[in-house]
Amino acid sequence: MMHGTLPHRAKELNEARSLLPAAFHRSPSKRLRNGAIGAALIAPLVYGAVVFGVTPARLVEGLSRLGGILSFMFPPHVWTTWQEWSEVLAGLGETVVMAFLGTLLGAVASLPLAFLGAKNIMPLSWLRLLSRRGFDALRAVEQIILALIFIRAFGLGPLAGILAIAVSEIGTFAKLFAEAIENTSRRPVDGVKASGGSQFQAIRYGILPQSLPVILSIILYNFESNARSGTILGIVGAGGIGFLLADRMHAFRWPEAWSIIFLIIATVYIIDAVSNTLRHRLI
Amino acid sequence: MNSTFPAIRAFEADYARARSRARRVQTFYSVIFAAAVLYSAYLGGFFGFTDVTLASGERVSMLKLWAGLPRLGEYLEKTIPTLRLETLGADLAEWFWRWRTWLQLLGETILIAYGATVLGVTGGFLLSFFAARNLSPGKILCQITRRYLEIIRTVPELVWALIFVFCFGVGPLAGVLAIGLHATGSLGKLYSEANENIDMRPLEGIKASGGNWLQQMRYGAVPQVIPNVISYTLLRFEINVRSSSIIGYVGAGGLGQEIRTTVSLQEYPDLSALFVIIFVTVMIIDFASEKLRHKIIGIAESWT
């Protein structure tokens, strides 16, 4: 392109090329290496396409079906009776309630646990590492698997969902809270201790005021993310809007399904906005 | 003593007033918060009752929460496999009795995650230049891209999977597309934030020497964001492995379908075996990607 627009520069370019060959050519070994990396990255895709039976015909058929159900998106379906509306709104409310209580319970349970995992509070390294690994193990279990287990114990409904969110949040919260506690300054603690405070008072007046804003902001962030992820718990029967959504999809009532998805997105937006304002006011 | 200094007296009165006002506001919000907690606990079924048959055969009404706890303990106890030291080999073989199928499904799960990561990286990377405020060729285009990314990451993977299972049939293809679409949204956001933090001077240099928008992105922006992009990509791969292990629950391939059968057929020890498999896999990927990330970031930094 440059040659075309600037023909009088061709001579200079040739000169530069002979002076600095490395800037214009890649060495064969480098080219070979890049090619090998590229092939290694593409090979699993090709293998996957073969194993998963991905054929152009199947893709075209699927995309045309997708186009078909996407066409139900606009104009969105509007329910006409209050009964239908109240069902959907109750589902949405249940999802928000589940996210709210699950996050709250998780936070309350993990605050004391976090001190067990914080380096500057817990001097016993074996206990600290043990609690840290415990948090990791809790985080490793998917929320939806927890929900399946809790449904067996507590029956279908939001209670199972709330407890699933709470338990999986303990793993996340305890880790993040412990890090927030570790990031505090030692000096207020020394001050409290120097004026005769106990270990408990040192934590209450020296560490908590420093870490509380961070902890509150973590809680609000996770509330948002639980409101998003909580929508799927209903698909397995653990309460909330997900149940209605899955129900509409299984019945191929796509216009209604899209409307529910739109309402979920709107709810998440509102929660985002509210928690943003709260975060700015609290911190 | 204060009475001799009217200024101090006035200050103390002011302070007391401010304190009591702050306390009133605090009480007000605490009451509202407590009411919200109680009402949501009511909606969430915390105060619901259920009928329980006691050991003596008597049926009583019990708080759902209270009645469920022992059942939860029982459930978890049943998932623990019987492992005796003297017959450890045979016990392990019994615990992982379907290991051939599981290993094959694990391979499928990782392949789904890989395909989805490639889709997410491609889509997210291309869109991130339109979604970055400082790079986007147009303000309206920027807003549209941002809203699109936001919507596709707000809808959970499992919902996309339900939609794609309908379109592309039951199988891993639906899973790849579902996780890939969700990953596009998340990665697009992270990449565009990385794009917004770059130094604009190289781009101006390319513009000044006659480069068009595409060339500005390719030679000005991309080299600056590559280390960040790789780092986010590897983190996302790990998240995608977790997602793809569960996505089979709605028929989109991978280990999730096995989890579903296990739960519905009440094969308790199988559930813990599957959990061990997923846990170990995620741990290995986590470890490997951290090593790789450090290495690649090291190489990328040595270029600059």
Side-chain angles (χ1 to χ4, degrees):
Chain A
M1 195 181 148
M2 292 295 265
H3 300 266
T5 49
L6 302 163
H8 58 285
R9 285 281 173 91
K11 208 180 135 227
E12 286 173 42
L13 265 175
N14 281 333
E15 257 172 43
R17 202 168 267 150
S18 60
L19 278 172
L20 293 162
F24 291 89
H25 283 290
R26 278 195 193 160
S27 68
S29 70
K30 236 182 197 169
R31 244 189 242 181
L32 198 71
R33 197 196 63 187
N34 287 354
I37 292 176
L41 287 174
I42 291 172
L45 289 183
V46 177
Y47 175 72
V50 174
V51 176
F52 296 166
V54 182
T55 56
R58 207 173 147 204
L59 281 177
V60 169
E61 197 204 324
L63 285 175
S64 73
R65 275 194 186 190
L66 185 64
I69 60 167
L70 282 178
S71 69
F72 293 127
M73 256 164 97
F74 292 108
H77 179 87
V78 180
W79 295 279
T80 45
T81 64
W82 171 243
Q83 202 191 344
E84 288 168 309
W85 269 109
S86 69
E87 192 187 8
V88 172
L89 291 180
L92 277 173
E94 208 171 84
T95 298
V96 175
V97 157
M98 281 161 56
F100 174 65
L101 269 189
T103 315
L104 189 69
L105 282 179
V108 169
S110 50
L111 194 59
L113 291 176
F115 286 101
L116 289 182
K119 215 175 196 160
N120 51 351
I121 305 286
M122 177 41 69
L124 302 171
S125 64
W126 62 269
L127 187 56
R128 193 177 69 234
L129 288 176
L130 201 71
S131 3
R132 283 281 175 118
R133 292 293 84 76
F135 305 157
D136 290 350
L138 272 184
R139 249 176 316 145
V141 191
E142 284 284 330
Q143 213 168 56
I144 210 151
I145 296 180
L146 284 172
L148 287 171
I149 294 173
F150 283 121
I151 285 173
R152 293 276 155 179
F154 298 97
L156 294 169
L159 189 60
I162 291 171
L163 294 174
I165 294 177
V167 170
S168 77
E169 281 302 286
I170 289 175
T172 319
F173 275 148
K175 175 187 185 261
L176 295 173
F177 290 178
E179 277 161 13
I181 291 166
E182 277 175 5
N183 284 336
T184 53
S185 156
R186 260 216 79 78
R187 277 181 246 175
V189 181
D190 291 339
V192 174
K193 284 204 173 145
S195 42
S198 65
Q199 171 76 11
F200 178 76
Q201 282 166 330
I203 290 173
R204 167 70 186 82
Y205 297 102
I207 286 178
L208 268 189
Q210 292 183 65
S211 49
L212 217 49
V214 182
I215 287 177
L216 279 177
S217 134
I218 293 169
I219 293 175
L220 280 170
Y221 268 123
N222 278 288
F223 174 51
E224 284 172 39
S225 96
N226 282 332
R228 284 163 202 259
S229 62
T231 51
I232 55 165
L233 292 177
I235 294 176
V236 300
I241 189 73
F243 172 71
L244 294 179
L245 183 59
D247 174 61
R248 299 297 185 273
M249 283 181 176
H250 289 314
F252 305 126
R253 286 153 74 179
W254 291 103
E256 283 186 65
W258 284 117
S259 291
I260 291 176
I261 290 178
F262 288 143
L263 284 175
I264 291 174
I265 292 169
T267 313
V268 170
Y269 272 24
I270 293 170
I271 290 175
D272 274 12
V274 170
S275 81
N276 258 328
T277 1
L278 264 180
R279 200 160 37 233
H280 285 298
R281 282 191 61 181
L282 288 172
I283 299 157
Chain B
M1 190 179 159
N2 284 343
S3 55
T4 52
F5 297 104
I8 291 180
R9 219 170 21 199
F11 171 80
E12 292 215 318
D14 260 1
Y15 180 71
R17 249 199 308 279
R19 281 285 305 213
S20 80
R21 196 171 56 227
R23 209 171 286 150
R24 266 203 305 277
V25 170
Q26 256 174 24
T27 320
F28 175 70
Y29 282 118
S30 311
V31 168
I32 288 187
F33 188 72
V37 170
L38 279 178
Y39 186 58
S40 22
Y42 164 73
L43 285 180
F46 271 76
F47 309 126
F49 281 88
T50 181
D51 285 334
V52 182
T53 312
L54 292 181
S56 58
E58 187 190 357
R59 278 186 79 77
V60 289
S61 191
M62 229 171 157
L63 262 186
K64 239 184 181 175
L65 196 62
W66 196 242
L69 282 178
R71 262 183 277 167
L72 184 64
E74 252 169 60
Y75 193 98
L76 292 179
E77 207 186 313
K78 278 185 197 161
T79 62
I80 298 170
T82 41
L83 294 178
R84 285 162 305 238
L85 205 57
E86 53 267 32
T87 54
L88 194 63
D91 284 350
L92 275 179
E94 201 192 321
W95 192 21
F96 288 95
W97 64 286
R98 265 168 79 78
W99 66 273
R100 271 174 218 279
T101 320
W102 288 340
L103 227 53
Q104 198 198 336
L105 284 172
L106 179 68
E108 197 175 285
T109 300
I110 293 173
L111 213 50
I112 291 174
Y114 185 79
T117 311
V118 171
L119 276 187
V121 168
T122 315
F125 190 64
L126 292 178
L127 290 176
S128 72
F129 295 99
F130 298 100
R133 284 202 189 87
N134 51 345
L135 302 180
S136 186
K139 271 213 167 75
I140 300 169
L141 195 61
C142 173
Q143 285 305 318
I144 293 174
T145 319
R146 278 172 165 255
R147 289 295 92 75
Y148 171 72
L149 291 173
E150 217 163 70
I151 288 170
I152 58 176
R153 72 168 175 269
T154 301
V155 178
E157 288 121 325
L158 224 54
V159 173
W160 288 129
L162 281 170
I163 294 173
F164 289 133
V165 164
F166 171 76
C167 297
F168 295 92
V170 170
L173 176 60
V176 171
L177 294 174
I179 300 174
L181 194 61
H182 187 84
T184 303
S186 320
L187 286 176
K189 183 196 179 206
L190 291 172
Y191 292 166
S192 73
E193 276 166 7
N195 280 339
E196 285 180 352
N197 288 330
I198 59 169
D199 181 1
M200 291 299 280
R201 279 174 292 186
L203 281 85
E204 278 159 23
I206 292 161
K207 198 177 180 183
S209 44
N212 59 21
W213 184 80
L214 208 65
Q215 285 163 335
Q216 287 174 45
M217 296 304 123
R218 169 65 188 86
Y219 299 103
V222 171
Q224 293 189 58
V225 293
I226 275 293
N228 265 329
V229 164
I230 289 171
S231 163
Y232 288 142
T233 303
L234 289 171
L235 285 177
R236 190 72 216 177
F237 179 55
E238 192 200 318
I239 299 173
N240 284 350
V241 171
R242 284 164 192 267
S243 309
S244 60
S245 70
I246 196 71
I247 200 111
Y249 194 86
V250 296
L255 277 169
Q257 63 196 58
E258 198 68 13
I259 292 174
R260 180 176 197 160
T261 6
T262 302
V263 170
S264 54
L265 294 181
Q266 311 203 358
E267 302 273 6
Y268 297 99
D270 286 13
L271 196 62
S272 57
L274 286 168
F275 170 68
V276 168
I277 290 174
I278 296 172
F279 186 56
V280 169
T281 310
V282 170
M283 229 166 58
I284 291 171
I285 288 174
D286 191 14
F287 181 76
S289 81
E290 200 177 311
K291 282 262 158 354
L292 198 63
R293 200 162 65 230
H294 284 305
K295 204 169 170 185
I296 288 173
I297 291 171
I299 293 171
E301 270 168 359
S302 70
W303 288 342
T304 52

